[in-house]
């Protein structure tokens, strides 16, 4: 069963190995560059080289930032999501807190993070790099955490009964049951999260904070400088580089992972098509990987060996056997007495801590916004109204094309297979990078930013609507469709009575996600860099961007409060009831 | 002194419902499990047999009474118990081998020993050659074999089986049952005693050395039957058949509210009866069948003639009986006078009769009282579900409501508006 390591070394190497080796070397080369950048002398406004040759390096830097941010997101997700799912007390405040975090646009985190981290690392770029990574993290993390939390909550009770009978500890339960059960959801949401992180890449790498410019070497800064200098060649090159990065990560990372997670589905679906992604094939071909796998296996068994040794040889040498038994029995009893007390204490501790945190943040916010006068508040409220209008327009326009197109594609398996990867890639592309192009078109037909910024929002969020409609359309009951054929229902009635109701629950989910995304996107679509100048459209997003850039943190605080209240408030009062209605009226029972 | 493996002392259990309300699931259960015996807990749904099993396994802490293991009170999961589940509860991402090995994962044994123990039980349950297969590649019967292997590999003296064969088709269930019995008789495993929960009389009789017939509202042991037929038991022998028949009589009497010889009268008054999951048309169908049969029929014969499951027919009968349209003496079923009147009536009269009959049911009375007290005579869905849950905590409240709505609509007692999800009183009918 386990082949020893030396036996595989005589395997012949293949082209796949060569390719892997090249990729590895390229990574190594750029890693050295990255290390230099991180440890280099503090340089808040990096000079950006707009030549083509600099692009691979910048792309790599951005990619690494996104991945480090992703790893942070994953770690946060596992801890936070698990805590929320397993502890009723913590769930009560962790979930609303997540809702609030999700509704704060990236700029809301910026001043604190950037200024704080730079003051911690005053002499190197480390602080700015970390700040940038955490900013990207705030664009990625939320949906992953929600997905993981929901997946753990959905593990059926008998599995817990089984693990109690067997006597699995919490870690085994987590590793063998809860983590695998949420793997599929986590993988899909990781893909979406990466896209979410890319979306604000320009804003995260290159920004102005209180009249001071900050810029990190990366693809986002490259685009920012290209837009500033109105260099259309560089802009095109940047867009292509971004596309390549997305295609690269999609093919080499997400698809293999998603296809691998298919084995973790809890319910059994028959007749599913399983395709083998490129990287899986590459890895299967490669002998290098096989050697690595064998090595890994040997390593994996090492702790078991050590454990065996420490359990058998060590203790019996140290203690007589009776004392061991007595001790373990005693510890067990003590633990049993101690455990509930520890739990209660922990809950109380976390509760108090959150309480203090909330009060502290509350007072800080109050101090911050106290100086705002009614003119400021009026400005904020009017801006909120405009932004809300744009969000609404973006949703309506998205729906107008995405609903018919999604249903049309979803009804035909062949079209689905053709369009799904394309849509996935298009959706991952950060829309702000093509804002200048889109604006050029709009200005040609004399549409001002005030209106066209709704279209800019649309560029980013239409995909959420499309994705969900597509998913809904794929699962339209075939039996119903066939019975409609038999009855001879007209085309119009078919849409009205079958297709639209069937996709409605998924559509509502799409709307909620899109609306949240659109609010968030307002900070970049109402305040756009275009041909070296900054264009603004009246709205909450542009207020936030302007406040950040000019260092008016009082106004920023006020805007953020209003934004969180608007987004969370609309979610709770408008979307939730619609969602409940959709679930109860248009959901097929399984 | 020979010691029992497990002892339940005066167990009563309540389910806590919101706002200090409690519902009794189990009442005064006492039970000793001796080494080397199979005990079958037999009863209809809602008799608390699964709850009882979970209390014995330490998965639930009983409200009153104590569970003794080897003379000591039990707290936490019972370390002497392994368990087989109705829904198999296999992890789809682990192979057969890994699923079985999960049973001894907490022991942290050396790999070689794990391999020996897993191999042994895999051979025992007939899974050789399937070690590397994943659950989704297996049929239901094979899956349950994995579930059994996972329980056996733990080498614990007591094996619990919670309706282990009811998710399988009849033939698979029967052959697997025989195999389990063989494994137990061969004494090749650590398993000394088995407790099996089932609603299948034949299963209970073919396995149980002791059969505890359980009743509902609250769950209690109605009768403990010692079954001394020698293993393996042949279903065709007269002894087997008569035992099945006897137990059947005990159970069918339970669905006959007319002779509540085992229910304490004080409890009767407050008994709320659950509705069987049948539609009015199914009940009428049964009655029509009896009518064409001369007003009297045998429940078994009906099941055979109609090609229905016997359990299903029992439900139909229970439905008719709740409405006082039939009587069920022994195995037979007879139309009452009311039932005869119903059969010879037209639709409107039938509706009227059902209307009146429903008003005699405690559940309908209570819901109607609630409706009458409600503003606009309307109660939202969730609230009705909660009421039903409070009254019948062991039943699926949604299912109960579904049946209630269906019956209530026929009897024009109350209606249900699916758009706003509200139950409303059929006021028009009330006034006439």
């Amino acid at each position: 069963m386990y082949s020893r390591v030396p036996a595989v070394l005589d395997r012949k190497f293949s082209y796949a190995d060569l390719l892997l080796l090249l990729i590895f070397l390229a990574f190594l080369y750029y890693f050295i560059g990255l290390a230099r950048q991180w440890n280099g002398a503090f340089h808040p406004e990096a000079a950006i080289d707009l030549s083509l040759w600099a692009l691979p390096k910048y792309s790599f830097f951005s990619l690494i930032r996104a991945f480090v941010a992703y790893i942070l997101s994953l770690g946060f997700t596992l801890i936070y999501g698990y805590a929320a799912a397993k502890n009723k007390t913590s769930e009560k405040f962790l979930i609303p807190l997540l809702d609030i975090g999700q509704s704060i646009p990236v700029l809301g985190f910026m001043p604190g993070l950037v200024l704080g981290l730079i003051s911690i690392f005053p002499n190197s770029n480390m602080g700015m790099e970390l700040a940038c990574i955490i900013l990207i993290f705030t664009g990625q993390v939320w949906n992953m955490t929600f997905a993981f939390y929901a997946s753990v909550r959905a593990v059926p009770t008998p599995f817990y009964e089984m693990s109690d009978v067997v006597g699995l500890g919490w870690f085994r339960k987590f590793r063998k049951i809860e983590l695998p059960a949420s793997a599929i959801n986590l993988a899909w949401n990781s893909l979406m999260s990466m896209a979410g992180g890319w979306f604000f890449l320009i804003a995260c790498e290159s920004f102005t904070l209180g009249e001071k410019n900050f810029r990190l070497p990366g693809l986002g800064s490259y685009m920012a400088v290209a837009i500033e200098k109105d260099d259309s060649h560089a802009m095109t090159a940047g867009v292509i580089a971004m596309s390549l990065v997305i295609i690269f990560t999609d093919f080499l990372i997400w698809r293999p992972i998603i296809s691998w997670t298919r084995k973790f589905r809890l319910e059994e679906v028959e007749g599913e098509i399983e395709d083998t992604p490129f990287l899986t094939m590459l890895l299967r071909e490669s002998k290098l990987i096989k050697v690595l796998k064998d090595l890994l296996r040997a390593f994996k068994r090492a702790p078991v060996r050590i454990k065996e040794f420490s359990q058998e040889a060590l203790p019996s040498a140290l203690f007589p056997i009776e004392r061991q038994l007595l001790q373990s029995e005693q510890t067990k009893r003590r633990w049993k007495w101690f455990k509930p007390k520890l739990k209660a204490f922990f809950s109380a501790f976390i509760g108090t801590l959150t309480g203090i945190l909330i009060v502290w943040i509350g007072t800080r916010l109050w101090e911050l916004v106290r100086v705002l006068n009614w003119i400021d508040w009026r400005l904020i409220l009017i801006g909120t109204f405009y932004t809300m209008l744009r969000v609404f327009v973006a949703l309506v326009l998205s729906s107008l094309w995405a609903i018919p197109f999604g249903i049309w594609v979803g009804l035909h398996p062949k079209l689905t297979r053709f369009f799904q990867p394309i849509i996935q890639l298009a959706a991952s592309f950060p829309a702000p990078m093509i804002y200048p192009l889109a604006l050029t078109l709009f200005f040609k037909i004399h549409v001002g930013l005030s209106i066209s910024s709704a279209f800019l929002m649309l560029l980013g969020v239409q995909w959420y609507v499309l994705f969900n409609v597509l998913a809904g359309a794929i699962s339209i009951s075939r039996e119903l469709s066939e019975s409609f054929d038999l009855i001879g229902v007209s085309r119009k009635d078919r849409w009205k009575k079958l297709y639209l109701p069937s996709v409605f629950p998924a559509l509502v989910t799409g709307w909620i996600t899109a609306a949240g995304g659109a609010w968030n996107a307002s900070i970049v679509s109402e305040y756009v860099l275009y041909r070296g100048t900054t264009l603004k459209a009246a709205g909450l997003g542009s207020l936030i961007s302007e406040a950040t850039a000019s260092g008016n943190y009082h106004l920023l605080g006020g805007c953020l409060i209003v934004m969180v209240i608007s987004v969370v408030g609309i979610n709770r009062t408008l979307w939730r009831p619609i969602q409940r209605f959709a679930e109860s009226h248009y959901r097929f029972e399984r | 002194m020979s010691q029992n493996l497990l002892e339940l002392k005066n167990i009563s259990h309540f389910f806590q419902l919101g706002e200090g309300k409690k519902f009794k699931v189990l009442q005064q259960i006492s039970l000793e499990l001796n080494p080397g015996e199979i005990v079958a807990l037999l009863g209809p749904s809602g008799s608390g047999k699964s709850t009882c099993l979970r209390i014995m396994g330490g998965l639930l802490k009983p409200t009153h009474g104590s569970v003794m293991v080897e003379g000591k009170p039990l707290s936490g999961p019972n370390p002497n118990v392994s368990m087989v589940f109705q829904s198999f509860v296999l992890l789809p991402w682990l192979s057969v081998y890994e699923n079985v090995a999960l049973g001894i994962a907490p022991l942290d044994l050396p790999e070689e020993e794990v391999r020996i123990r897993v191999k042994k039980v895999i051979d025992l349950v007939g899974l050789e050659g399937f070690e590397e297969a994943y659950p989704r590649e297996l049929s239901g019967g094979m899956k349950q074999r994995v579930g059994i292997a996972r329980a056996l590999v733990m080498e614990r003296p007591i094996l619990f089986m919670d309706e282990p064969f009811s998710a399988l088709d009849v033939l698979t269930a029967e052959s697997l049952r025989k195999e389990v019995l063989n494994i137990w008789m061969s004494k090749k495993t650590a398993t000394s005693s088995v407790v099996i929960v089932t609603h299948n009389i034949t299963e209970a009789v073919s396995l149980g050395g002791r059969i505890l017939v359980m009743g509902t509202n609250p769950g209690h042991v109605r009768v403990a039957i010692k079954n001394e037929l020698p293993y393996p038991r042949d279903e065709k022998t007269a002894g087997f058949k008569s035992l099945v028949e006897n137990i059947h009589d005990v159970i069918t009497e339970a669905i006959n509210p007319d002779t509540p010889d085992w229910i304490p009268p004080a409890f009767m008054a407050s008994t709320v009866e659950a509705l069987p999951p049948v539609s009015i048309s199914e009940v009428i169908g049964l009655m029509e069948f009896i009518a064409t049969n001369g007003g009297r029929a045998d429940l078994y014969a009906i099941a055979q003639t109609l090609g229905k499951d016997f359990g299903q027919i029992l439900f139909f009968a229970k439905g008719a009986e709740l409405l006082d349209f039939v009587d069920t003496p022994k195995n037979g079923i007879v139309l009452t006078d009311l039932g005869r009147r119903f059969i010879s009536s037209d639709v409107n009269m039938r509706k009227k009769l059902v209307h009146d009959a429903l008003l005699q049911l405690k559940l309908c009375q209570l819901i109607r009282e609630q409706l009458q007290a409600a503003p606009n005579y309307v109660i939202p869905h969730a609230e009705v579900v909660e009421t039903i849950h409070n009254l019948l905590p062991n039943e699926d409240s949604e299912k109960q409501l579904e049946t209630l709505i269906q019956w209530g609509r026929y009897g024009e007692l109350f209606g249900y508006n699916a758009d706003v999800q509200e139950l409303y009183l059929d006021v028009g009918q009330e006034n006439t």
Side-chain angles (χ1 to χ4, degrees):
Chain A
M1 204 167 161
Y2 296 102
S3 45
R4 272 171 300 136
V5 179
V8 288
L9 279 176
D10 55 34
R11 283 183 188 148
K12 289 215 172 85
F13 280 66
S14 67
Y15 286 111
D17 288 313
L18 196 68
L19 197 60
L20 281 176
L21 208 65
L22 275 177
I23 294 175
F24 176 71
L25 284 178
F27 265 70
L28 202 66
Y29 172 74
Y30 284 124
F31 257 121
I32 295 168
L34 189 69
R36 264 199 219 131
Q37 144 71 13
W38 277 52
N39 282 321
F42 184 51
H43 207 319
E45 200 176 351
I48 296 293
D49 176 5
L50 283 188
S51 76
L52 275 184
W53 289 112
L55 259 181
K57 185 177 80 180
Y58 290 146
S59 307
F60 180 78
F61 284 3
S62 296
L63 188 62
I64 292 298
R65 281 184 201 118
F67 267 106
V68 175
Y70 170 74
I71 289 164
L72 283 183
S73 301
L74 191 61
F76 177 88
T77 290
L78 293 182
I79 295 168
Y80 196 100
Y82 189 78
K86 300 299 282 191
N87 187 317
K88 282 228 166 77
T89 332
S90 56
E91 181 183 12
K92 272 186 209 125
F93 54 84
L94 287 182
I95 293 305
L97 217 57
L98 212 55
D99 238 0
I100 292 173
Q102 192 174 29
S103 60
I104 298 177
V106 64
L107 291 181
F109 299 101
M110 189 174 273
L113 271 175
V114 174
L115 301 178
L117 283 166
I118 287 176
S119 71
I120 295 176
F121 301 95
N123 301 316
S124 73
N125 288 323
M126 190 71 93
M128 267 190 66
E129 285 285 352
L130 283 180
C132 177
I133 284 169
I134 297 175
L135 288 178
I136 298 176
F137 161 90
T138 63
Q140 294 178 338
V141 69
W142 316 109
N143 60 321
M144 278 171 73
T145 310
F146 271 121
F148 179 64
Y149 158 77
S151 303
V152 172
R153 284 291 306 271
V155 172
T157 331
F159 284 92
Y160 286 115
E161 289 183 339
M162 182 272 287
S163 50
D164 279 352
V165 169
V166 170
L168 300 178
W170 75 268
F171 187 68
R172 271 207 179 83
K173 248 187 263 181
F174 175 71
R175 222 189 60 189
K176 300 265 181 192
I177 300 174
E178 286 153 348
L179 190 60
S182 43
I184 295 181
N185 250 337
L186 262 184
W188 276 107
N189 279 281
S190 297
L191 181 99
M192 281 174 56
S193 283
M194 278 305 266
W198 292 131
F199 192 87
F200 290 106
L201 186 66
I202 296 182
C204 293
E205 282 185 350
S206 158
F207 49 89
T208 310
L209 196 60
E211 310 293 353
K212 210 166 171 239
N213 289 325
F214 294 89
R215 188 169 289 150
L216 282 165
L219 195 49
S221 296
Y222 184 94
M223 277 308 282
V225 173
I227 294 167
E228 202 178 287
K229 294 192 175 157
D230 201 19
D231 181 339
S232 55
H233 288 292
M235 276 192 256
T236 318
V239 167
I240 291 172
M242 189 70 239
S243 311
L244 286 177
V245 166
I246 287 167
I247 292 171
F248 169 81
T249 45
D250 189 70
F251 271 86
L252 290 184
I253 295 163
W254 298 120
R255 266 186 222 196
I257 286 179
I258 284 169
S259 106
W260 171 72
T261 53
R262 274 203 207 118
K263 76 174 199 173
F264 296 114
R265 44 180 199 246
L266 259 179
E267 72 277 9
E268 290 163 29
V269 189
E270 308 244 334
E272 213 177 299
I273 324 142
E274 306 222 351
D275 54 351
T276 314
F278 173 67
L279 186 74
T280 317
M281 281 196 314
L282 191 71
L283 293 182
R284 252 181 228 155
E285 281 288 298
S286 167
K287 305 293 179 295
L288 198 67
I289 293 295
K290 283 190 184 110
V291 175
L292 281 178
K293 263 190 187 161
D294 286 333
L295 271 175
L296 200 70
R297 210 173 274 159
F299 266 114
K300 246 172 138 176
R301 295 182 53 193
V304 180
R305 294 253 165 80
I306 294 167
K307 206 172 184 181
E308 279 167 28
F309 175 73
S310 64
Q311 269 180 350
E312 282 158 26
L314 270 179
S316 53
L318 294 176
F319 313 107
I321 189 86
E322 301 89 86
R323 246 182 78 194
Q324 266 183 61
L325 284 177
L326 197 72
Q327 274 189 337
S328 74
E329 194 57 32
Q330 260 181 357
T331 0
K332 238 190 213 165
R333 219 174 300 139
R334 269 192 211 140
W335 179 238
K336 220 168 224 170
W337 173 85
F338 190 56
K339 202 177 163 188
K341 290 182 175 54
L342 188 73
K343 253 188 175 166
F345 174 76
F346 186 72
S347 299
F349 178 71
I350 295 282
T352 326
L353 208 66
T354 328
I356 293 172
L357 203 70
I358 288 171
V359 171
W360 184 74
I361 292 178
T363 41
R364 287 304 298 271
L365 273 177
W366 169 240
E367 278 166 20
L368 202 61
V369 300
R370 210 172 38 170
V371 298
L372 294 180
N373 53 30
W374 73 273
I375 301 178
D376 295 319
W377 285 114
R378 208 183 61 170
L379 199 66
I380 294 174
L381 289 180
I382 290 172
T384 309
F385 174 73
Y386 280 133
T387 304
M388 198 183 291
L389 221 55
R390 288 195 188 99
V391 171
F392 180 71
V393 170
L395 279 197
V396 170
L397 292 177
S398 306
S399 308
L400 278 181
W401 81 270
I403 294 174
F405 181 73
I407 291 177
W408 177 64
V409 171
L411 286 175
H412 302 88
K414 265 190 196 160
L415 287 176
T416 310
R417 234 167 294 152
F418 176 74
F419 276 112
Q420 207 174 21
I422 299 176
I423 296 170
Q424 199 173 302
L425 286 176
S428 302
F429 189 85
M433 292 200 177
I434 49 170
Y435 281 180
L437 178 73
L439 281 182
T440 313
L441 295 177
F442 281 118
F443 292 160
K444 253 187 198 146
I445 53 169
H446 304 290
V447 176
L449 184 68
S450 191
I451 291 172
S452 52
S453 77
F455 286 88
L456 299 184
M457 277 181 190
L458 167 94
L459 285 177
V461 301
Q462 56 193 344
W463 309 108
Y464 295 120
V465 181
L466 180 60
F467 259 139
N468 281 287
V469 171
L470 187 58
I474 289 170
S475 55
I476 286 177
S477 153
R478 195 193 269 159
E479 277 108 341
L480 271 179
S481 202
E482 279 166 359
S483 65
F484 272 55
D485 284 342
L486 284 174
I487 302 166
V489 179
S490 74
R491 222 180 153 70
K492 198 181 120 199
D493 270 0
R494 196 180 283 251
W495 278 78
K496 222 169 73 183
K497 298 207 166 116
L498 178 62
Y499 299 162
L500 290 177
S502 295
V503 301
F504 190 65
L507 178 64
V508 175
T509 312
W511 278 338
I512 295 175
T513 332
W519 277 97
N520 256 319
S522 67
I523 57 164
V524 287
S525 56
E526 292 175 353
Y527 186 89
V528 200
L529 197 63
Y530 179 72
R531 298 210 166 149
T533 52
T534 305
L535 305 180
K536 296 166 204 168
L540 191 58
S542 66
L543 272 180
I544 289 177
S545 293
E546 215 174 342
T548 314
S550 60
N552 184 351
Y553 301 133
H554 306 292
L555 187 62
L556 179 62
C559 288
L560 288 178
I561 291 173
V562 172
M563 186 159 227
V564 168
I565 291 173
S566 309
V567 177
V568 176
I570 292 173
N571 270 347
R572 306 247 148 154
T573 55
L574 179 71
W575 291 122
R576 289 274 165 84
I578 293 181
Q579 196 166 29
R580 265 200 292 272
F581 173 80
E583 292 289 329
S584 61
H585 281 69
Y586 297 111
R587 174 73 74 193
F588 286 106
E589 282 172 40
R590 283 182 214 168
Chain B
M1 187 184 105
S2 80
Q3 206 173 29
N4 51 46
L5 287 171
L6 181 71
E7 193 179 349
L8 294 187
K9 283 184 177 168
N10 285 323
I11 296 286
S12 295
H13 192 65
F14 294 85
F15 278 149
Q16 196 70 41
L17 311 167
E19 290 158 41
K21 284 180 216 156
K22 289 196 278 190
F23 191 85
K24 205 174 213 175
V25 202
L26 286 175
Q27 173 164 277
Q28 295 287 324
I29 307 255
S30 291
L31 163 69
E32 280 178 40
L33 183 62
N34 302 311
E37 69 167 346
I38 301 181
V39 172
L41 295 179
L42 175 69
S45 62
S47 58
K49 51 192 193 306
S50 282
T51 309
C52 190
L53 195 74
R54 276 158 180 74
I55 286 174
M56 287 194 269
L59 299 173
L60 275 180
K61 195 174 156 43
T63 321
H64 298 298
S66 57
V67 184
M68 307 296 281
V69 174
E70 290 163 347
K72 280 182 237 156
L74 173 74
S75 71
N78 189 335
N80 291 341
V81 160
S82 60
M83 193 154 166
V84 173
F85 296 86
Q86 179 180 10
S87 54
F88 320 136
V89 197
L90 305 179
L91 298 176
W93 40 84
L94 299 184
S95 67
V96 167
Y97 180 94
E98 292 163 327
N99 261 300
V100 175
L102 191 67
I104 44 175
L107 303 181
D108 286 317
L109 298 170
E111 207 171 295
E112 194 50 40
E113 196 173 325
V114 171
R115 188 130 24 124
I116 292 168
R117 280 175 70 163
V118 172
K119 173 114 183 42
K120 186 184 149 198
V121 291
I122 279 186
D123 289 352
L124 211 56
V125 301
L127 279 169
E128 310 96 323
F130 287 92
E131 288 89 344
E132 301 307 316
Y134 283 89
R136 72 178 93 257
E137 301 163 333
L138 304 178
S139 65
M142 293 303 268
K143 276 181 199 156
Q144 193 54 298
R145 279 169 205 266
V146 182
I148 294 167
R150 183 180 57 202
L152 292 180
V153 79
M154 293 156 75
E155 296 188 0
R156 293 182 180 177
I158 309 172
L159 175 65
F160 282 178
M161 303 180 97
D162 185 13
E163 310 227 3
F165 311 121
S166 56
L168 307 174
D169 68 80
V170 183
L171 290 177
T172 312
E174 203 176 300
S175 69
L176 202 52
R177 193 165 73 211
K178 283 182 179 143
E179 281 185 57
V180 168
L181 188 65
N182 280 337
I183 292 171
W184 176 75
M185 282 166 59
S186 73
K187 306 214 183 298
K188 277 184 197 157
T189 60
T191 307
S192 166
S193 299
V194 179
V195 180
I196 180 169
V197 161
T198 180
H199 58 242
N200 180 330
I201 302 176
T202 315
E203 197 165 287
V205 173
S206 64
L207 292 179
R210 258 194 304 158
I211 300 164
L212 305 184
V213 180
M214 298 190 66
T216 51
N217 279 331
H220 62 287
V221 178
R222 291 177 55 197
V223 61
I225 300 169
K226 215 166 173 70
N227 180 2
E228 285 172 330
L229 295 169
Y231 291 112
R233 294 164 178 162
D234 184 351
E235 288 176 29
K236 294 184 189 72
T237 58
F240 194 101
K241 278 184 183 161
S242 78
L243 188 52
V244 169
E245 197 135 310
N246 277 339
I247 295 176
H248 180 255
D249 286 350
V250 173
I251 293 177
T252 41
E253 240 169 345
I255 69 159
N256 182 354
D258 293 343
T259 52
D261 49 358
W262 49 273
I263 304 175
F267 196 74
M268 258 302 273
S270 65
T271 301
V272 176
E273 270 162 315
L275 304 178
V278 293
S279 67
I280 279 288
S281 56
E282 284 167 327
V283 171
I284 298 174
L286 177 78
M287 289 167 60
E288 306 257 18
F289 181 86
I290 301 167
T292 54
N293 220 346
R296 162 182 286 279
D298 180 80
L299 282 170
Y300 276 130
I302 297 176
Q304 280 195 329
T305 323
L306 295 181
K308 293 256 185 197
D309 182 42
F310 180 67
Q312 195 68 35
I313 294 295
L314 274 184
F315 278 140
F316 295 173
K318 176 159 185 179
E321 194 160 39
L322 276 178
L323 299 172
D324 271 338
F325 289 159
V326 298
D327 260 334
T328 52
K330 292 281 176 185
N331 289 338
I333 180 161
V334 191
L335 288 182
T336 58
D337 291 343
L338 198 61
R340 287 177 198 283
R341 243 182 92 199
F342 180 89
I343 289 296
S344 55
S345 303
D346 64 359
V347 177
N348 286 329
M349 194 56 205
R350 282 183 172 192
K351 278 177 180 274
K352 177 86 177 72
L353 287 173
V354 170
H355 179 90
D356 295 345
L358 285 176
L359 285 179
Q360 299 302 312
L361 288 183
K362 194 89 187 165
L363 183 63
C364 289
Q365 286 170 11
L366 291 171
I367 299 279
R368 211 173 77 112
E369 277 164 24
Q370 200 184 354
L371 271 170
Q372 280 166 340
N376 297 327
Y377 306 116
V378 157
I379 332 178
H381 176 265
E383 206 173 300
V384 190
V385 169
E386 190 176 1
T387 307
I388 295 179
H389 184 70
N390 290 349
L391 295 168
L392 300 160
N394 296 325
E395 302 291 335
D396 180 351
S397 340
E398 296 275 357
K399 193 84 205 162
Q400 286 290 318
L401 178 57
E402 210 175 283
T403 311
L404 190 70
I405 288 169
Q406 207 263 339
W407 289 23
R409 273 182 175 157
Y410 185 89
E412 296 180 352
L413 199 58
F414 32 67
Y416 182 71
N417 185 338
D419 285 331
V420 288
Q421 303 213 321
E422 283 171 348
L423 195 70
Y424 61 87
L425 200 64
D426 211 331
V427 185
Q429 185 70 22
E430 289 302 303
N431 296 339
T432 55

